[in-house]
Every structure is written in C-alpha cells, then in structure tokens.
Amino acid sequence: MAKTGTTTQGLRAAIERSGYYPALVAEAVEAAVGGEPVASYLVHQETTFDSNEVRRHVTVLVLTDTRFIVSHTDEQAADTSSPTPYATTSTESVKLDRISSVVVSRVVANPEKYVPGTLPREVVLTIGWGAVSRIDLEPAACGDPNCEADHGYTGSSTADDLSLRVSEAGDGPDTVRQTLAFAQSLSEATAATAPTAR
C-alpha cells in the first residue's frame, strides 16, 4: 500500500492508514521532518516472506523544500537478543543538493502496443546520494583470444542508496501512480537545486 500527498496532516493520515505501528513510524518521521512544510510524500508498506516467517516493513519517503527524508521500519521476532518481538526504525535526512541520481525503471507489457499515459506494470525507484555505492569488478581482457597477459580489472561504481519496487499486481495501480508522482516531484526538486552552468 502506498499513499502520496503534500501536507503534514496528510502524511500523518497516510501513516495511520498503513496500520503498521503508526505511532512509532509517525513519531520518527515527524521528528526528522521537524518544522519544515511537506512538499510530497510516499508511504509504502511491504510484506515479505523470510524462511517460515512473514515479515512486514514500511518505507516513508518525504520531500521538503530543502531535504529528502527516508524512514524505514522493520519488525523482528523474538530472538536471542530480545525475549519479545521488536521493531527498528531508522530515518535519514539528505540535503537535496546531495542527491546524485533519481532512477525510475518502468516495466511495460507489449511495448509495441504501448499507448502514452498507460501505467507500467512495475516501477523501481532508485535514489542515490552517495551513502552507499556498489562496485562491480571483472577481469579486463583485450581483443586477442590467445593473450595470456594480466590486464587488471574493469568495472563500474553505482550509487543505490535506496531502491523501492512496486507493481500493479502486488500493490495496485494507485501505488504505481503514486510512486511515479513522487519520483517526478523529487526529480524536479533536485533539478531546481542543481548549480547553474556559467
């Protein structure tokens, strides 16, 4: 379930509608937002299956005039460190000018028949701001198939601090639409904070 909107009251209501530890999630998000007005938000609850357990977690994305805030809450079963079930909530606040990429991947069925405006069946929103980078390396080679020299390594570095996947089948068309709307708001906000070329 995802909800998107543009007000602090709407954000609180969306968190409460998600039904996922709303008091805990709302307190963490509201503390991170502080007194700034909310420009846009997205609340996404997801259920996953881990071995024999069903786990739920919620991600809340908030856009203000100056910051991008991400909050993630996970629930955990009782374990050796805690005799009772518990939840972990984390928030991160990122200045808009630090966001280096907003990637929206769309999966569409029958692309040869695609009509502009049709919702994709799946959307993956990936946001990078440099906190987490992944480096993929592989041995480098030259064009000579008989060459046995060591050419070192080649690879790429990818920033993917946050990746959120929604699908029409699993989350519903409104969730896909809301994710696209939030991604557009975030892209526009980061473009507005980009330094102008001289």
Side-chain angles (χ1 to χ4, degrees), residues 136-175:
D136 296 318
L137 295 175
E138 61 184 40
C142 66
D144 180 358
N146 297 319
C147 180
E148 295 181 13
D150 182 355
H151 294 284
Y153 290 88
T154 185
S156 61
S157 174
T158 309
D160 59 351
D161 297 299
L162 172 78
S163 189
L164 183 78
R165 177 190 169 272
V166 297
S167 69
E168 188 176 17
D171 302 293
D174 285 344
T175 300

Side-chain angles (χ1 to χ4, degrees), residues 1-5 9-20 22 41 43 45 178:
M1 170 197 319
K3 298 293 177 198
T4 188
Q9 294 84 4
L11 172 59
R12 177 68 180 234
I15 291 170
E16 289 174 358
R17 278 194 304 276
S18 79
Y20 185 85
Y41 63 82
V43 177
Q45 182 183 329
Q178 292 161 353

Side-chain angles (χ1 to χ4, degrees), residues 53-132:
E53 294 180 350
V54 176
R55 284 208 167 140
R56 299 178 306 153
H57 57 266
V58 68
T59 302
V60 180
L61 308 179
V62 180
L63 177 63
T64 71
D65 290 341
T66 62
R67 296 179 297 146
F68 166 68
I69 297 161
V70 58
S71 174
H72 190 78
T73 304
D74 280 303
E75 64 184 359
Q76 307 290 330
D79 57 23
T80 56
S81 67
S82 175
T84 60
Y86 61 98
T88 304
T89 299
S90 63
T91 57
E92 184 170 0
S93 177
V94 181
K95 288 185 175 185
L96 287 177
D97 62 1
R98 285 198 48 223
I99 294 180
S100 56
S101 66
V102 178
V103 180
V104 180
S105 299
R106 303 164 195 241
V107 177
V108 298
N110 302 312
E112 70 282 357
K113 297 178 183 177
Y114 179 76
V115 175
T118 303
L119 281 180
R121 70 178 192 199
E122 181 179 310
V123 171
V124 179
L125 172 60
T126 305
I127 304 164
W129 57 90
V132 176

